[in-house]
Amino acid sequence: MSASEDPATTQPQTMQRYYRWHARIYDATRWAFLFGRRRLLRLLPEEPNLRLVEVGCGTGFNLRRLARQHSNWQLVGIDVSQHMLERAFRALKAHSRRVFLIEKNYGKGHFRLKEPADVVLFSYSLTMFNPGFEGAIEQAYDDLRPGGRIAVVDFHDTPFGWFRNWMGLNHVRMEGHLLPVLKQHFDTSTCQIRPAFGGLWRYLLFVGTKPNPATQG
Ligand SMILES: C[S@@+](CC[C@H](N)C(=O)[O-])C[C@H]1O[C@@H](n2cnc3c(N)ncnc32)[C@H](O)[C@@H]1O
């Protein structure tokens, strides 16, 4: 297999191509099925001066809310899609002094944040890291300070093969594969699996803490 066919190297390009068009209709359509985003934000720690990094921030749905709710938080959004980030940039203009947007392919060892994060947030992005979700979780572990939190909302699974295949065509993997890897790296504070659309699929809310050796006996 040549590098140009290897899914590990083509995942960023696939995302860039997919969102070139979908960025235009993203905010108008996704609210109808990306459940749990507001609920996850309510589960975040209520601490002042927190540094939060959202990986796969898209058009800035979460960052906009966080910037309004927490005037002293420092927010960083990372995304591989220029077209999604252009929309986030416009939506976050009013908060541009403390919200930083970075166009990057996030993954293990791709780059280092200048300062460790208190929270790394993944909202409906990890199931699109195909392949590469393990590397993204490992990088989040490295990017967090000891005692920092990872917060994830995403598709979990579906009992319907046709629906799994259809989501696959939209680059979403829905096989309950995130949870074991999250639990392997982080101490679980919240783990909820909730039904959506009368059981057509289930989605996952997970908040975990990076172990802090200094506070462990
Ligand atoms: C479904 S959107 C979610 C956007 C936003 N978090 C939300 O909740 O509305 C998934 C986002 O993940 C981004 N993404 C996918 N793979 C990525 C990668 N390897 N590095 C950075 N961002 C990535 C996509 O470009 C897209 O903007």
Side-chain angles (χ1 to χ4, degrees):
M1 193 184 343
S2 72
S4 62
E5 293 163 345
D6 178 1
T9 47
T10 55
Q11 191 269 352
Q13 287 102 301
T14 304
M15 290 296 107
Q16 283 154 359
R17 264 198 314 274
Y18 182 73
Y19 283 110
R20 186 184 298 267
W21 190 80
H22 278 268
R24 295 181 214 167
I25 57 160
Y26 188 88
D27 288 329
T29 53
R30 290 339 194 249
W31 63 270
F33 53 93
L34 299 188
F35 298 118
R37 291 186 292 179
R38 287 187 179 84
R39 190 183 289 270
L40 182 69
L41 300 189
R42 288 198 295 272
L43 291 171
L44 296 178
E46 287 282 335
E47 289 161 21
N49 305 317
L50 200 133
R51 182 172 158 81
L52 178 144
V53 176
E54 180 175 5
V55 177
C57 63
T59 56
F61 175 93
N62 296 307
L63 292 176
R64 233 162 28 228
R65 271 155 195 78
L66 291 170
R68 278 202 298 263
Q69 284 162 15
H70 304 281
S71 56
N72 54 17
W73 283 17
Q74 197 191 116
L75 303 168
V76 177
I78 300 174
D79 205 289
V80 76
S81 161
Q82 173 204 336
H83 292 90
M84 293 294 262
L85 279 180
E86 278 168 7
R87 283 172 191 264
F89 186 77
R90 284 203 290 274
L92 287 158
K93 221 168 193 160
H95 309 284
S96 59
R97 280 159 60 110
R98 61 197 175 86
V99 184
F100 301 93
L101 298 176
I102 304 173
E103 187 182 330
K104 283 271 187 222
N105 169 23
Y106 191 81
K108 181 74 180 162
H110 291 181
F111 69 105
R112 281 309 303 232
L113 292 176
K114 283 199 187 110
E115 291 169 61
D118 299 300
V119 176
V120 174
L121 170 68
F122 290 92
S123 162
Y124 287 96
S125 52
L126 265 182
T127 51
M128 300 190 88
F129 281 70
N130 301 311
F133 75 95
E134 296 102 328
I137 293 171
E138 283 167 24
Q139 187 58 44
Y141 184 92
D142 291 349
D143 284 337
L144 281 165
R145 66 165 171 80
R149 312 274 173 92
I150 188 168
V152 178
V153 59
D154 216 319
F155 297 107
H156 183 60
D157 62 6
T158 172
F160 301 103
W162 64 267
F163 187 64
R164 195 176 312 115
N165 293 340
W166 185 78
M167 292 301 280
L169 293 176
N170 287 285
H171 311 291
V172 173
R173 181 173 166 202
M174 249 177 146
E175 296 171 13
H177 56 294
L178 302 179
L179 190 53
V181 182
L182 289 167
K183 283 192 163 169
Q184 187 191 323
H185 288 83
F186 298 94
D187 298 335
T188 306
S189 334
T190 300
C191 179
Q192 299 173 11
I193 296 172
R194 296 175 159 257
F197 270 115
L200 180 57
W201 73 85
R202 298 191 299 168
Y203 65 95
L204 168 71
L205 285 157
F206 181 89
V207 181
T209 307
K210 173 172 171 171
N212 186 350
T215 59
Q216 280 172 344

